[in-house]
Amino acid sequence: MGKVKVMITNNQTEVKIPVGIRLLVRRCCHAVLEYEGHNDDFEVSVSFVNDEQIHELNKEHRNIDRSTDVLSFPLGENGDFDMNHETGAYLLGDIVISLETAYRQAEIYGHSLEREIGFLTVHSMLHLLGYDHEESNLHERIMREKEEAILGNLGISRDATFLGEHEHR
């Protein structure tokens, strides 16, 4: 397994980031790449934002005028990724997580903020690798199965089936 450099920035002040969240995000990114059999070095950027910021990004980039829980901005296409020539690592893209929404969803679904952020990170990493649950029912099922397997490997409990924006908590 290659190295994964995860650059995490906190661009919000509404939610205090619990101890261990940054490590969890890094573990999730690594687990997805390991599960998918990638042996190269990769870089990914993860930003924590508030609802207002993610609403603006969702409107600007997806023409959807509302906030959401997570957005993915892949830099690669069809398995081809740009390379950071200074480090030799492939650039996967950017993950943007609304901590306000993650906190609310954790309460709604009755699990920890850690569990919610872990799920959102794994979900978004799969998008960066080219998976798209909106393409077809088959693609959605494949993505869900991968999410469950990766979260299981990480030891993040999935005690119940939840319905939500992504209908797969």
Side-chain angles (χ1 to χ4, degrees):
M1 174 70 207
K3 295 177 185 165
V4 183
K5 181 177 182 181
V6 183
M7 292 145 298
I8 300 173
T9 57
N10 180 26
N11 297 319
Q12 58 83 50
T13 57
E14 288 74 10
V15 177
K16 185 177 185 317
I17 299 175
V19 173
I21 287 294
R22 287 175 176 86
L23 177 59
L24 172 68
V25 167
R26 287 182 174 94
R27 286 181 58 227
C28 289
C29 292
H30 185 276
V32 170
L33 292 169
E34 185 175 55
Y35 185 85
E36 290 293 297
H38 290 285
N39 294 314
D40 296 307
D41 292 347
F42 288 93
E43 292 180 11
V44 63
S45 169
V46 178
S47 299
F48 295 127
V49 299
N50 62 28
D51 283 349
E52 182 180 333
Q53 292 164 312
I54 207 159
H55 183 156
E56 290 173 19
L57 289 168
N58 206 19
K59 186 175 181 180
E60 179 182 339
H61 294 280
R62 299 177 66 219
N63 206 27
I64 298 175
D65 191 11
R66 63 177 168 81
S67 64
T68 188
D69 49 7
V70 65
L71 291 171
S72 309
F73 297 99
L75 291 176
E77 194 172 324
N78 299 323
D80 292 326
F81 301 98
D82 290 338
M83 181 181 281
N84 178 338
H85 295 290
E86 291 179 20
T87 65
Y90 291 104
L91 304 171
L92 283 179
D94 302 311
I95 296 171
V96 181
I97 297 172
S98 170
L99 282 185
E100 284 183 291
T101 299
Y103 186 80
R104 276 195 315 277
Q105 288 179 171
E107 284 187 345
I108 289 167
Y109 302 131
H111 56 237
S112 67
L113 180 62
E114 290 81 1
R115 163 70 179 83
E116 185 67 17
I117 291 173
F119 168 79
L120 294 173
T121 303
V122 167
H123 178 84
S124 207
M125 278 292 292
L126 289 170
H127 276 308
L128 294 183
L129 292 174
Y131 291 95
D132 185 358
H133 56 87
E134 295 177 4
E135 216 171 276
S136 71
N137 287 339
L138 175 60
H139 287 223
E140 181 177 8
R141 189 166 43 252
I142 289 168
M143 194 166 165
R144 300 298 169 252
E145 289 171 0
K146 288 178 181 289
E147 288 166 351
E148 288 183 31
I150 293 163
L151 291 166
N153 290 345
L154 287 164
I156 299 174
S157 174
R158 296 179 62 100
D159 295 336
T161 301
F162 299 100
L163 294 178
E165 180 175 339
H166 287 106
E167 299 179 7
H168 48 77
R169 295 275 182 307

